[in-house]
C-alpha cells in the first residue's frame, strides 16, 4: 500500500491547485503584497496582520476566537473584540515599562487571556513566550530564567504552586499578572482583570521591522535539553501562506488546531495562521477525549482540523466510527504534524472520515510548515509530501568538510533547507555556537534524516540521533515502527538501538498492544514474524518488550532517548517535557 497514491475528492477549489506550476511561478515578493502592514509602509507586525487590519474591515464582526471551556460553555471574540482587548494588554505592558524586545511569558491553560496576551505582547513589539501549564516548577524556572522573563501572566493557583518559591531566583521577573485575581495584591503581583478594565482599548503599534524578535519557543526536548528558538515578525508571512496553501483557509472557514501554544504548533497554527487568514479559530480548554473531540468537530462545524499522530493513534485504538456516529459533513481537511504519520493512519482517515489525513513536516526552528501534502496533490501514504512553494529542501551527505546535496532518488541523507525562509529561527537563546552549528554554507541542517523519491516526495527516516547501526545497516526507527504498527495487535511502537558486541546495536522494540490482545510469547513471536517478513531478519527487532505506555513529551512525541537510557541503566537526562500520566 505504501507506494499507492490517493487523490482527494474536493468540495471547494483549493488555494493551491497545481503544485508544479504554482512552484514555478511563486514569488515571495507577490505573497508579501497580501500583508497590509508592508503594503501600507507600516513595517511588519504579526498582531497587526492577525487582528488590527481585520478589525476595521469586513471581518470586524466575524468570530476570530471561540474558546470552549471545560464545561463546554463558549466564549466568543470577534476580530474587533480581540483587537481591542489585545490593545488593552499592549497598553498594560507600556504602563509596566516593558520595552521592545523584552519578554512576556504566559503560563496558563488554553484560556482567552493567553490569546489576548499573545497578541498584545506582539503589538507592544515585545517577545511572547508561552509555557505549558502542566510544567512543574523546575521546567518553569529553567525557561523563565533562560528567557529573562520580565512579565509573567498566569493564574493564582499556578503562581502559588510553581512560581512563588522561585521569585528570589528570578531577578529579571518584575511583574506577575494574575488572570483570576480581582483584588489588589502588590506592586509586583497584580490583578490582570483590574488592569484590563482600566486600560485604553486603543493602542498604536510601534514601528516594527520584519527582523524584530517576536516569539520565543522552546523545542519539545525529544532529543535532549530543550532549546529556545527565537523567531521574528517576518515569520507571519510563512504563517499566512502555509495557512492558505496547506491548511487551505477560505473565507468563512472554521478551524481547529488541537495543539497547546506551549508547543510551537499551538502558536503558529493555534493563534497566528488562522487569524492572519481571517478564519474562525476554535480553542478547546480540555485535554484529549475522543468523544468530546468528535462532538466538537460536529457542534462547531469544523472545516479544517489540525492535530498530531499521537492523538490520531489514540483515536484509532477506539471502537468509534466517527463518520457514522457524528455529523461531520463540514469537515473537508485533516492535517497532522509532530511525528511521522504512518501509512495506516493516513488510510484510517479515509475510512473514519472519508478523507486521508494529510501529513506535514516542520520544526520549532522552522517556525512554520516546510514540507506538506496538499489537497490537490496525490497523497502517497507514509510520505511527508513536498516542500512548500518558495522553500528549497534537499537530501544531503554531510561530512567534516562538505555538505553535498544528492540528486539520487531514494538516497537516505540529512534533510536540509536552504537558508532565509521568513519564519527561520534567528537564534537559540544564549547558545550561539549551537545555532551556528545548524548551518553549513547556504543550508540549514534539520537533524532529521529523510529520502526523496523520484516524484519529489519526501519520506521521513528518523532523527539523526535515533539512527540505529546494526550489522552494518543504518536503520531508521520509523521504518521499523511503521511495519510493527501494521500488525493487527500493535497500537504503538518505539524502537531503539541497544549496544551489542557482535552486530554493533540490536533493534529493540517497545510495543503497546491494542485492547483485547494478550502480551504473551505467542503475540511476541507473531509480531516478530511479521517484522521479519517485511523488514528482513537483519533489520527486524531482535527483542520486543510489551509496555502499557510509551514515554512521551508534552507535545506527544515518543521519547526514544528515555527508553534507551532506561534500557541501558544510564542517567535519564532532561525530563522537563516528559508527560506524566
Ligand atoms: P528537540 O529538538 O528538543 O529534541 P523536537 O525536535 O521534538 O525536540 P519540535 O521542534 O517540536 O521538537 O519537533 C520537530 C521534530 O518533530 C522534527 O525535527 C521531526 O523529527 C519531528 N516531526 C515533525 N513533524 C514530522 C512529520 N510529519 N514526520 C516525521 N517527523 C516529524
Ligand atoms: Mg528538534
Amino acid at each position: 500500500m505504501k507506494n499507492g497514491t490517493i487523490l482527494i475528492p474536493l468540495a471547494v477549489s483549493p488555494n493551491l491547485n497545481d503544485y508544479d506550476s504554482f512552484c514555478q511561478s511563486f514569488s515571495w515578493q507577490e505573497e508579501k503584497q497580501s500583508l497590509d502592514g508592508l503594503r501600507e509602509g507600516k513595517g511588519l507586525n504579526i498582531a497587526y496582520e492577525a487582528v488590527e487590519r481585520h478589525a476595521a474591515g469586513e471581518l470586524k464582526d466575524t468570530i476570530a476566537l471561540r474558546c470552549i471551556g471545560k464545561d463546554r460553555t463558549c466564549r466568543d471574540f470577534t476580530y474587533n473584540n480581540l483587537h481591542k482587548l489585545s490593545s488593552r494588554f499592549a497598553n498594560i505592558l507600556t504602563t509596566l515599562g516593558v520595552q521592545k524586545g523584552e519578554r512576556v511569558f504566559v503560563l496558563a491553560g488554553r484560556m482567552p487571556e493567553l490569546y489576548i496576551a499573545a497578541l498584545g505582547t506582539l503589538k507592544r513589539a515585545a517577545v511572547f513566550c508561552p509555557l505549558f501549564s502542566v510544567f512543574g516548577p523546575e521546567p518553569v524556572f529553567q525557561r523563565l530564567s533562560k528567557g529573562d522573563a520580565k512579565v509573567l501572566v498566569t493564574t493564582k493557583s499556578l503562581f502559588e504552586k510553581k512560581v512563588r518559591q522561585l521569585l528570589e531566583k528570578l531577578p529579571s521577573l518584575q511583574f506577575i499578572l494574575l488572570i483570576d485575581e480581582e483584588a489588589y495584591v502588590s506592586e509586583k503581583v497584580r490583578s490582570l482583570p483590574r488592569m484590563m478594565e482600566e486600560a485604553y482599548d486603543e493602542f498604536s503599534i510601534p514601528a516594527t521591522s520584519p527582523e524584530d524578535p517576536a516569539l520565543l519557543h522552546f523545542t519539545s526536548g525529544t532529543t535532549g535539553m530543550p532549546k529556545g528558538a527565537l523567531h521574528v515578525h517576518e515569520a507571519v508571512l510563512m504563517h499566512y501562506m502555509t495557512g492558505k496553501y496547506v491548511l487551505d483557509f477560505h473565507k468563512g472557514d472554521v478551524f481547529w488546531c488541537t495543539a497547546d501554544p506551549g508547543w510551537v504548533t499551538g502558536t503558529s497554527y493555534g493563534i497566528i495562521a488562522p487569524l492572519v487568514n481571517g478564519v474562525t479559530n476554535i480553542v478547546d480548554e480540555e485535554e484529549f477525549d475522543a468523544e468530546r473531540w468528535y462532538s466538537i468537530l460536529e457542534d462547531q462545524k469544523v472545516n479544517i482540523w489540525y492535530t498530531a499522530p499521537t492523538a490520531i493513534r489514540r483515536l484509532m485504538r477506539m471502537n468509534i466510527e466517527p463518520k457514522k456516529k457524528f455529523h461531520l459533513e463540514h469537515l473537508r481537511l485533516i492535517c497532522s504534524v509532530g511525528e511521522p504519520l504512518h501509512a495506516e493512519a493516513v488510510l484510517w482517515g479515509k475510512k473514519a472520515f472519508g478523507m486521508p489525513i494529510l501529513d506535514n513536516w516542520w520544526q520549532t526552528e522552522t517556525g512554520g510548515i516546510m514540507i506538506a501534502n496538499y489537497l490537490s496533490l496525490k497523497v502517497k501514504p507514509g510520505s511527508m509530501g513536498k516542500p512548500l512553494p518558495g522553500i528549497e529542501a534537499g537530501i544531503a551527505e554531510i561530512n567534516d568538510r562538505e555538505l553535498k546535496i544528492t540528486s539520487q532518488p531514494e538516497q537516505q541523507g540529512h534533510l536540509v533547507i536552504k537558508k532565509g525562509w521568513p519564519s527561520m529561527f534567528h537564534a537559540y537563546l544564549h547558545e550561539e555556537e549551537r545555532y551556528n552549528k545548524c548551518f553549513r554554507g547556504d543550508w540549514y541542517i534539520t537533524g532529521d534524516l529523510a529520502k526523496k523519491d523520484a516524484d519529489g516526495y519526501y519520506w521521513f527516516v528518523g532523527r539523526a540521533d535515533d539512527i540505529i547501526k546494526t550489522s552494518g545497516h543504518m536503520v531508521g526507527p520509523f521504518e521499523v515502527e511503521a511495519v510493527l504498527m501494521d500488525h493487527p495487535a500493535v497500537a504503538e511502537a518505539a524502537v531503539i538501538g541497544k549496544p551489542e558486541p557482535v552486530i554493533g546495536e540490536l533493534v529493540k522494540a517497545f510495543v503497546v498492544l491494542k485492547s483485547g490482545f494478550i502480551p504473551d510469547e505467542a503475540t511476541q513471536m507473531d509480531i516478530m514474524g511479521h517484522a521479519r517478513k517485511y523488514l528482513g531478519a537483519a533489520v527486524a527487532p531482535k527483542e520486543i518488550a510489551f509496555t502499557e505506555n510509551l514515554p512521551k513529551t508534552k507535545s506527544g512525541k515518543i521519547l526514544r532517548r528515555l527508553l534507551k537510557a532506561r534500557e541501558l541503566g544510564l542517567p535519564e537526562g532532561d525530563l522537563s517535557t516528559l508527560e506524566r500520566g
Side-chain angles (χ1 to χ4, degrees):
M1 196 59 233
K2 272 194 191 134
N3 295 321
T5 57
I6 315 171
L7 195 56
I8 304 172
L10 300 172
V12 184
S13 162
N15 289 327
L16 194 169
N17 54 32
D18 179 344
Y19 177 83
D20 291 327
S21 68
F22 189 70
C23 283
Q24 270 163 23
S25 63
F26 180 85
S27 109
W28 282 114
Q29 217 42 44
E30 241 172 69
E31 224 37 58
K32 276 189 187 165
Q33 292 302 314
S34 317
L35 299 179
D36 287 0
L38 277 180
R39 206 174 47 215
E40 292 169 12
K42 292 184 178 168
L44 190 59
N45 181 292
I46 297 177
Y48 177 82
E49 304 299 331
V51 284
E52 182 159 339
R53 65 169 174 154
H54 298 315
E58 57 173 304
L59 291 173
K60 184 167 173 273
D61 299 319
T62 298
I63 296 176
L65 181 68
R66 166 165 291 176
C67 287
I68 308 174
K70 291 189 195 267
D71 62 358
R72 300 294 290 253
T73 50
C74 292
R75 286 204 273 168
D76 287 349
F77 301 85
T78 63
Y79 274 93
N80 195 29
N81 291 150
L82 202 54
H83 167 51
K84 290 195 163 153
L85 290 167
S86 53
S87 287
R88 283 179 190 243
F89 189 84
N91 278 317
I92 292 176
L93 295 182
T94 307
T95 314
L96 297 177
V98 172
Q99 303 294 316
K100 210 169 159 176
E102 289 188 323
R103 292 174 201 123
V104 176
F105 279 59
V106 177
L107 173 73
R110 290 182 292 280
M111 52 188 74
E113 290 78 3
L114 187 163
Y115 296 80
I116 292 163
L119 294 163
T121 302
L122 293 166
K123 280 187 177 173
R124 181 65 200 90
V127 175
F128 173 66
C129 181
L131 299 179
F132 276 110
S133 60
V134 286
F135 276 151
E138 187 52 33
V140 168
F141 169 70
Q142 282 171 15
R143 287 162 180 76
L144 291 175
S145 138
K146 191 167 188 178
D148 309 309
K150 177 156 183 177
V151 176
L152 171 68
V153 177
T154 188
T155 63
K156 280 196 277 191
S157 74
L158 290 171
F159 173 64
E160 291 303 335
K161 273 193 246 155
K162 307 180 179 185
V163 185
R164 191 187 275 286
Q165 71 267 36
L166 304 174
L167 289 179
E168 273 185 12
K169 291 197 287 173
L170 292 167
S172 75
L173 184 58
Q174 288 184 19
F175 298 102
I176 291 117
L177 311 184
L178 299 176
I179 292 169
D180 51 353
E181 176 60 79
E182 299 287 337
Y184 175 82
V185 185
S186 68
E187 204 33 38
K188 183 166 182 139
V189 183
R190 306 214 182 175
S191 152
L192 180 62
R194 271 195 177 202
M195 295 190 87
M196 284 292 279
E197 210 177 296
E198 287 161 10
Y200 286 120
D201 57 18
E202 270 168 39
F203 176 82
S204 173
I205 295 180
T208 319
S209 113
E211 300 292 305
D212 281 342
L215 301 161
L216 173 65
H217 263 293
F218 288 91
T219 59
S220 292
T222 313
T223 53
M225 190 64 124
K227 299 146 270 185
L230 195 67
H231 291 279
V232 298
H233 279 271
E234 194 180 20
V236 69
L237 183 55
M238 203 73 218
H239 301 140
Y240 167 73
M241 75 87 108
T242 48
K244 193 158 66 157
Y245 300 127
V246 180
L247 300 171
D248 198 51
F249 289 142
H250 283 67
K251 197 174 160 200
D253 275 340
V254 176
F255 170 66
W256 181 26
C257 168
T258 59
D260 189 283
W263 177 32
V264 67
T265 307
T267 301
S268 293
Y269 296 97
I271 309 181
I272 305 168
L275 297 180
V276 178
N277 281 279
V279 301
T280 294
N281 190 29
I282 303 286
V283 169
D284 182 24
E285 291 186 25
E286 195 46 279
E287 294 312 311
F288 176 89
D289 174 319
E291 292 277 345
R292 179 179 169 109
W293 277 29
Y294 287 138
S295 67
I296 288 177
L297 291 174
E298 177 180 78
D299 295 347
Q300 302 303 330
K301 301 186 169 56
V302 172
N303 305 109
I304 301 143
W305 189 34
Y306 197 17
T307 190
T310 178
I312 294 166
R313 289 193 297 260
R314 287 173 80 174
L315 294 174
M316 287 171 75
R317 282 156 74 171
M318 311 219 162
N319 279 332
I320 306 173
E321 291 186 67
K323 209 170 59 168
K324 286 200 187 140
K325 196 165 167 197
F326 297 87
H327 292 284
L328 301 177
E329 52 281 350
H330 291 92
L331 194 60
R332 66 164 204 276
L333 171 60
I334 309 174
C335 293
S336 162
V337 70
E339 279 190 303
L341 190 68
H342 60 294
E344 200 198 334
V346 175
L347 297 171
W348 173 79
K350 255 199 122 198
K351 202 170 71 192
F353 300 99
M355 66 201 85
I357 299 172
L358 300 192
D359 186 21
N360 56 62
W361 176 95
W362 60 290
Q363 311 175 302
T364 309
E365 291 85 342
T366 69
I369 303 171
M370 295 282 111
I371 297 178
N373 286 283
Y374 310 88
L375 273 172
S376 54
L377 197 69
K378 283 185 178 152
V379 179
K380 294 195 188 191
S383 157
M384 311 190 285
K386 296 189 179 191
L388 259 291
I391 295 296
E392 197 178 332
I395 301 294
E397 283 171 49
I398 303 175
N399 60 32
D400 289 347
R401 274 171 298 121
E402 57 169 9
L403 179 151
K404 198 168 132 246
I405 301 291
T406 169
S407 53
Q408 195 69 26
E410 302 294 343
Q411 187 168 323
Q412 181 173 312
H414 289 266
L415 176 60
V416 295
I417 300 186
K418 182 69 90 53
K419 247 161 62 173
W421 68 94
S423 58
M424 188 177 95
F425 69 134
H426 278 220
Y428 280 140
L429 208 59
H430 308 312
E431 293 187 273
E432 201 180 332
E433 201 184 321
R434 196 168 188 185
Y435 179 77
N436 292 336
K437 265 197 184 153
C438 298
F439 296 89
R440 188 75 75 79
D442 282 344
W443 296 92
Y444 162 64
I445 305 166
T446 65
D448 285 346
L449 302 182
K451 291 190 244 191
K452 181 176 161 185
D453 71 16
D455 299 327
Y457 285 73
Y458 282 74
W459 299 78
F460 184 76
V461 171
R463 291 163 183 270
D465 287 10
D466 288 340
I467 290 300
I468 303 164
K469 297 171 197 89
T470 185
S471 309
H473 297 277
M474 301 283 273
V475 179
F478 176 49
E479 178 189 7
V480 182
E481 289 160 10
V483 167
L484 292 171
M485 300 275 295
D486 268 346
H487 187 282
V490 178
E492 277 194 292
V495 309
I496 60 162
K498 184 174 162 185
E500 205 275 351
V502 181
I503 56 173
E505 285 182 305
L506 68 76
V507 178
K508 169 152 188 170
F510 294 84
V511 166
V512 179
L513 292 176
K514 287 185 186 153
S515 59
F517 289 89
I518 304 161
D520 60 7
E521 213 182 314
T523 312
Q524 206 177 33
M525 294 315 287
D526 202 59
I527 297 174
M528 236 163 209
H530 167 87
R532 283 216 187 101
K533 181 167 155 203
Y534 291 98
L535 293 165
V539 174
K542 297 235 179 332
E543 287 180 20
I544 293 183
F546 293 121
T547 165
E548 295 270 302
N549 285 303
L550 294 171
K552 299 210 179 99
T553 65
K554 296 196 191 304
S555 49
K557 294 156 190 277
I558 297 172
L559 274 162
R560 292 180 192 76
R561 70 174 162 91
L562 181 57
L563 287 169
K564 189 160 178 169
R566 286 179 180 165
E567 179 72 26
L568 305 182
L570 296 173
E572 295 190 335
D574 178 76
L575 295 185
S576 63
T577 64
L578 175 68
E579 178 72 46
R580 293 171 202 270

